[in-house]
Amino acid sequence: MDKGKMDENEWGYHGEGNKSLVVAHAQRCVVLRFLKFPPNRKKTSEEIFQHLQNIVDFGKNVMREFLGENYVHCGEVVQLPLDFVKQLCLKVQSERPESRCDKDLDTLSGYALCLPNLARLQTYHFAEHRPILCVEIKPKCGFIPFSSDVTHEMKHKVCRYCMHQHLKVATGKWKQISKYCPLDLYSGNKQRMYFALKSLLREAQNNLKIFKNGELIYGCKDARSPAADWSELAHHLKPFFFPSNGLASGPHCTRAVIRELVRVITRVLLSGSDKGRAGALRLGPGSQGPCVCEASPFGKSLRHQGKSSLERSGLPKGCLLYKTLQVQMLDLLDIEGLYPLYRRVEQYLEEFPEQRKTLQIDGPYDEAFYQKLLDLSTEDDGTVAFALTKVQQYRVAMTAKDCSIMIALSPCLQDASSDQRPIVPSSRSRFTFSVSVLDLDLKPYESIPHQYKLDGKIVNYYSKTVHTKDATMMSTRFKESEDCTLVLHKV
Ligand SMILES: O=P(O)(O)O[C@@H]1[C@@H](OP(=O)(O)O)[C@H](OP(=O)(O)O)[C@H](O)[C@H](OP(=O)(O)O)[C@H]1OP(=O)(O)O
Ligand SMILES: Nc1ncnc2c1ncn2[C@@H]1O[C@H](COP(=O)(O)OP(=O)(O)OP(=O)(O)O)[C@@H](O)[C@H]1O
């Protein structure tokens, strides 16, 4: 990229989250990722450069080690002409969803991250001229906490995502409760994975986006977004999955196309080589912990059918979902066990503020930082060192709980023999594919008190409203069955 000749007209709005905004180059397979801040939060250019450099280092030295180099694209920090950034900011403003405009793009430092455009096949510098479909999934936390520090019994039964849904709907973030449960997606059981993916397709929220040739064709900006339209989605997808066949349109066609999409995505998610060291962590509740969330409709329906002992087919160890789950499980103590350790580190820092650097709270995220994460002991010897290790592991785990997976699919050419990329078949076509992870920014140390409060809020809200409602329904049902018995007696 020639940074001297940057033209804002060659770039277009691509997407944004809570902390960054992404623009994509019209021809080349690259994106620029800018940081965003609340309007009154002034950061110096040096601070912004350091923040971005930390993101790159964390990706390189930690996430690449855990997840494998094929999945993690760290990019590089670039310095751009300020004029270009200002013009670009004006250009994209009208395309930004209103709900994201509480933060402004950083136009003062001129720094951004340059990354491969993962919504196109991973070829970095050159745009592919083949049609490309890309599915982005933010799977969230895929396990139920196994820590003995958990005090709310509900947290051992219902996963955080499913509990959080109720609070999100109550506060107006989303319109309705999703049937998606991360435990279904992470189960490795195909039926459960199909169910999870279909649920995401019904209620995408911020957990699913679909891009065609780099353009967003399916996804949900906020609670005001229109309801999901599967027939429109199927119209976009049909040429990919039924290229040469005159499958009639209508509900039958829509179902067939969605089924193909779900199957292909499941296959891709279960594929993968065994690179990366997350497998070596061997974390988790083993066979003891619950593998089904009580709130998942899939789990519920199986229980109603009397199939209470759900099989755990498990994820293949090489696949990205498995590795991501392993990193998530670095949250060994749950926020309830972690928070007192955070307080210990805080007290130490209040006394010795100059130690913040030595403790690597704000980086550098280097090899030494990575090595310390591998200590999985949970025996608290009362030291700051123990507390710090658990705090850093928690931050890494939270990062893995909030990352997204990008799956790019491109129909195979007739002569695909020279193509080195893996191939996934569908019933009427074949695709080359690539899988990548994005949004691997280490969660800040300062967010731990917020996590602690939010956790309490989610569980209390769920327990008070949903559980009480369930209990009321149960007692009504119980009364009804009593009434029924009385009637039977009378007869
Ligand atoms: O706390 P959660 O689970 O709601 O996750 C937040 C996400 O909300 P979600 O539940 O996925 O809609 C939230 O996503 P949205 O802004 O709601 O799209 C962010 O990803 C946030 O991360 P950060 O603070 O920007 O680094 C996420 O915060 P972290 O908890 O990962 O710090
Ligand atoms: N390298 C990339 N290639 C293609 N698209 C990308 C890339 N990086 C980010 N995006 C798109 O931009 C969106 C926002 O990026 P990202 O998730 O990194 O933002 P964020 O603000 O850090 O997220 P969060 O809300 O989780 O804090 C993503 O959902 C994705 O659609």
Side-chain angles (χ1 to χ4, degrees), residues 210-434:
I210 302 179
F211 300 87
K212 186 169 137 183
N213 302 329
E215 298 288 324
L216 185 71
I217 56 159
Y218 197 77
C220 186
K221 282 179 181 154
D222 52 37
R224 277 164 298 172
S225 301
D229 184 344
W230 275 19
S231 59
E232 198 187 317
L233 175 64
H235 174 75
H236 278 294
L237 301 185
K238 198 172 139 188
F240 284 86
F241 293 99
F242 295 94
S244 55
N245 136 318
L247 188 71
S249 50
H252 169 69
C253 163
T254 302
R255 276 198 302 275
V257 172
I258 299 286
R259 190 169 53 234
E260 288 298 313
L261 172 72
V262 163
R263 288 192 175 161
V264 164
I265 297 301
T266 303
R267 280 198 173 145
V268 170
L269 285 173
L270 292 173
S271 72
S273 64
D274 206 2
K275 287 181 190 143
R277 294 197 226 162
L281 291 171
R282 289 190 212 295
L283 283 159
S287 52
Q288 305 300 311
C291 58
V292 184
C293 162
E294 283 194 5
S296 156
F298 192 93
K300 272 188 195 162
S301 85
L302 279 174
R303 274 199 305 278
H304 284 158
Q305 292 167 39
K307 295 178 189 163
S308 51
S309 58
L310 280 168
E311 272 176 50
R312 185 186 208 140
S313 58
L315 290 164
K317 293 201 170 33
C319 77
L320 183 59
L321 280 181
Y322 176 84
K323 294 176 193 188
T324 311
L325 188 60
Q326 287 287 301
V327 182
Q328 294 184 353
M329 284 179 176
L330 277 173
D331 174 10
L332 292 160
L333 306 174
D334 188 72
I335 186 67
E336 291 189 61
L338 193 275
Y339 189 66
L341 299 176
Y342 162 81
R343 292 291 316 144
R344 190 186 297 168
V345 177
E346 267 299 274
Q347 267 164 17
Y348 178 77
L349 286 176
E350 274 160 27
E351 216 176 316
F352 307 104
E354 72 287 355
Q355 287 294 306
R356 195 176 167 105
K357 214 167 169 202
T358 325
L359 300 190
Q360 294 185 277
I361 303 275
D362 315 298
Y365 305 125
D366 52 12
E367 172 69 18
F369 180 91
Y370 168 72
Q371 287 299 333
K372 286 184 204 141
L373 297 170
L374 304 179
D375 176 0
L376 303 180
S377 69
T378 47
E379 286 294 311
D380 186 0
D381 56 6
T383 60
V384 171
F386 173 81
L388 180 69
T389 302
K390 297 305 126 187
V391 163
Q392 305 290 46
Q393 285 172 337
Y394 176 79
R395 292 172 64 195
V396 176
M398 291 306 286
T399 306
K401 289 180 193 181
D402 197 41
C403 69
S404 297
I405 295 176
M406 287 282 229
I407 298 165
L409 300 161
S410 186
C412 282
L413 300 174
Q414 288 291 307
D415 172 28
S417 51
S418 58
D419 206 322
Q420 297 300 304
R421 280 181 289 236
I423 287 175
V424 58
S426 74
S427 61
R428 304 287 168 83
S429 50
R430 297 187 317 144
F431 301 91
T432 54
F433 69 91
S434 74

Side-chain angles (χ1 to χ4, degrees), residues 18-19 100 140 160 168 173 206 402 443 451:
N18 184 34
K19 290 204 171 138
R100 294 292 188 192
K140 302 295 286 190
R160 150 134 168 173
K168 286 180 181 174
K173 183 166 178 175
N206 61 353
D402 197 41
K443 296 291 173 183
Q451 288 298 342

